[in-house]
Amino acid sequence: MMTLQQLYALAVQLGIQADPRGLASVKRQLKQARIDYNKLSAQEKPYFDQEYFTNPYSDSRILYSSSDTKPIKRAIAGIDCSESELLLADRLGKVDLAITHHPEGIALADLHSVMDVQVEMLSRVGVPIHIAESLLAQRIAEVNRGLQPINDHKTVDVARLLNISYMATHTITDNMVTTFIDELVKKNQKKLYYVGDVMDLLMTIPEYQIAKKLKSGPSIFIGHGKRRAGRIAVTEMTGGTNGAKEMFERLSNAGIGTVIGMHMREEYRKEAEKHHINVVIAGHVSSDSVGMNLMLDQFEQRGVEIIPLGGLIRVKRFKAKR
Ligand SMILES: [Fe+2]
Ligand SMILES: [Fe+2]
């Protein structure tokens, strides 16, 4: 049996293991957080979120803790797990923890900070790091301004009043699905000649099969099945939210022929099209589900009963012990 703190620590560890930047980069970020903190004045220190010493993901946090010692036996988990799901948990009864993928509270307010993950992720697929950083800086500032007016703590108030522990795991599980698909692509590299082959590969994943029955399966946003896929990159699945649309030109120049993403806004799609990149959209909620499932399997194997809701397509990848 695990406590909330233990589950949270495990989640952070899983996110780090799957981080597309690689471990050295994550360690550098954690170390830098301490250096930054130590440089702050006595007045500024109380405002620094010390979770940054051990957790590199600003959008993944414990939002409310009902107890430090109580073991977590039953949890609800959703892609969106907010007010209505918390109320439902109260009605279902005996729910110790609510886990949301899309962040709320302080995890939402600081979502933009995690977008820095994209800089090194893009440099790893061949975009020079100074270009990736410069293009993303503008977009991060824009996302930050967009988050300012949101009443991001109201859901946390519900968790507090119902006394249900509440946790957000956003980039943690987006890292997990990114690495999962990336490894699958690398393992099947030789078979992936056409864009259609990429689609076929995605369709081997149960979450996408279920999503297709629900009419939201993977689709080709740009290109078609008979186009040559070229070099494939999973660039649109983690790092907070959409990066900079100007990046498609850079990706194309870096030799990327096909990108796999969860979802894509029209203005981004047009930009990718302009620069001749094929785009395979795996699906939003289904891809978020793959990432959450990989983490929730670990929770379940440690004795936590998971009740899926809030759009989560729950698929288990382990055999339950009898
Ligand atoms: Fe996500
Ligand atoms: Fe999402």
Side-chain angles (χ1 to χ4, degrees):
M1 283 289 172
M2 307 267 278
T3 64
L4 175 63
Q5 271 297 338
Q6 287 170 326
L7 286 176
Y8 168 70
L10 170 63
V12 171
Q13 237 20 68
L14 292 169
I16 290 174
Q17 276 166 24
D19 197 301
R21 296 171 295 176
L23 193 60
S25 170
V26 174
K27 280 189 177 158
R28 189 181 305 116
Q29 185 192 335
L30 296 176
K31 199 171 137 199
Q32 189 61 43
R34 279 193 196 270
I35 296 169
D36 292 347
Y37 176 76
N38 288 335
K39 280 187 189 154
L40 291 176
S41 68
Q43 278 133 303
E44 286 298 326
K45 277 199 165 102
Y47 298 103
F48 189 93
D49 178 2
Q50 295 192 29
E51 283 302 310
Y52 273 125
F53 298 160
T54 49
N55 174 357
Y57 313 112
S58 60
D59 59 1
S60 304
R61 286 285 183 280
I62 291 174
L63 302 171
Y64 174 73
S65 168
S66 76
S67 160
D68 291 338
T69 51
K70 204 170 93 183
I72 305 289
K73 291 188 192 134
R74 219 151 98 100
I76 57 167
I79 302 307
D80 291 288
C81 185
S82 50
E83 290 97 329
S84 49
E85 286 77 17
L86 283 159
L87 281 166
L88 175 61
D90 185 55
R91 182 178 282 199
L92 291 170
K94 292 189 177 146
V95 171
D96 306 306
L97 168 66
I99 309 165
T100 185
H101 176 62
H102 291 146
E104 299 280 354
I106 55 167
L108 176 58
D110 203 9
L111 171 73
H112 58 284
S113 297
V114 83
M115 293 173 70
D116 197 61
V117 168
Q118 296 182 40
V119 173
E120 277 169 76
M121 186 175 75
L122 287 160
S123 106
R124 283 200 150 201
V125 296
V127 180
I129 199 155
H130 60 289
I131 295 174
E133 182 154 40
S134 169
L135 288 176
L136 270 163
Q138 299 163 38
R139 173 73 183 132
I140 291 170
E142 181 187 304
V143 171
N144 184 21
R145 287 192 297 273
L147 291 168
Q148 295 283 353
I150 296 176
N151 185 1
D152 38 41
H153 219 70
K154 72 193 273 279
T155 312
V156 183
D157 289 334
V158 178
R160 176 176 53 81
L161 289 167
L162 294 174
N163 201 31
I164 297 169
S165 290
Y166 191 28
M167 171 165 87
T169 54
H170 190 226
T171 289
I172 286 176
T173 65
D174 282 343
N175 280 351
M176 294 176 85
V177 58
T178 298
T179 300
F180 180 80
I181 304 229
D182 196 51
E183 282 174 357
L184 197 66
V185 165
K186 290 200 170 107
K187 213 161 67 193
N188 293 279
Q189 201 93 57
K190 285 195 189 110
K191 285 186 244 166
L192 303 176
Y193 189 73
Y194 293 113
V195 173
D197 300 331
V198 179
M199 285 288 284
D200 291 346
L201 182 69
L202 289 177
M203 281 310 297
T204 61
I205 297 171
E207 284 87 341
Y208 297 138
Q209 294 166 2
I210 296 167
K212 189 167 180 175
K213 288 189 185 150
L214 298 173
K215 316 232 166 168
S216 48
S219 62
I220 301 171
F221 263 38
I222 303 173
H224 53 75
K226 278 281 175 283
R227 278 269 183 95
R228 289 161 182 86
R231 239 176 87 207
I232 302 161
V234 187
T235 53
E236 307 293 310
M237 286 208 168
T238 192
T241 182
N242 323 67
K245 62 177 189 294
E246 295 80 10
M247 210 64 76
F248 289 112
E249 182 178 4
R250 306 298 173 167
L251 283 167
S252 189
N253 290 342
I256 300 297
T258 300
V259 302
I260 303 178
M262 285 196 193
H263 48 89
M264 188 172 285
R265 288 201 230 151
E266 193 57 19
E267 71 222 77
Y268 284 65
R269 197 197 67 81
K270 280 184 184 150
E271 194 66 19
E273 190 167 42
K274 198 164 105 192
H275 297 289
H276 321 289
I277 292 187
N278 300 302
V279 174
V280 175
I281 291 301
H284 181 195
V285 171
S286 49
S287 300
D288 276 341
S289 292
V290 174
M292 285 290 278
N293 285 332
L294 292 167
M295 179 189 75
L296 293 170
D297 282 354
Q298 300 278 336
F299 286 11
E300 249 186 60
Q301 283 171 292
R302 287 165 179 82
V304 184
E305 181 198 345
I306 301 292
I307 303 170
L309 44 57
L312 174 66
I313 301 168
R314 179 84 178 112
V315 173
K316 295 181 198 181
R317 290 180 170 76
F318 69 95
K319 284 208 184 79
K321 270 184 263 164
R322 284 174 165 257

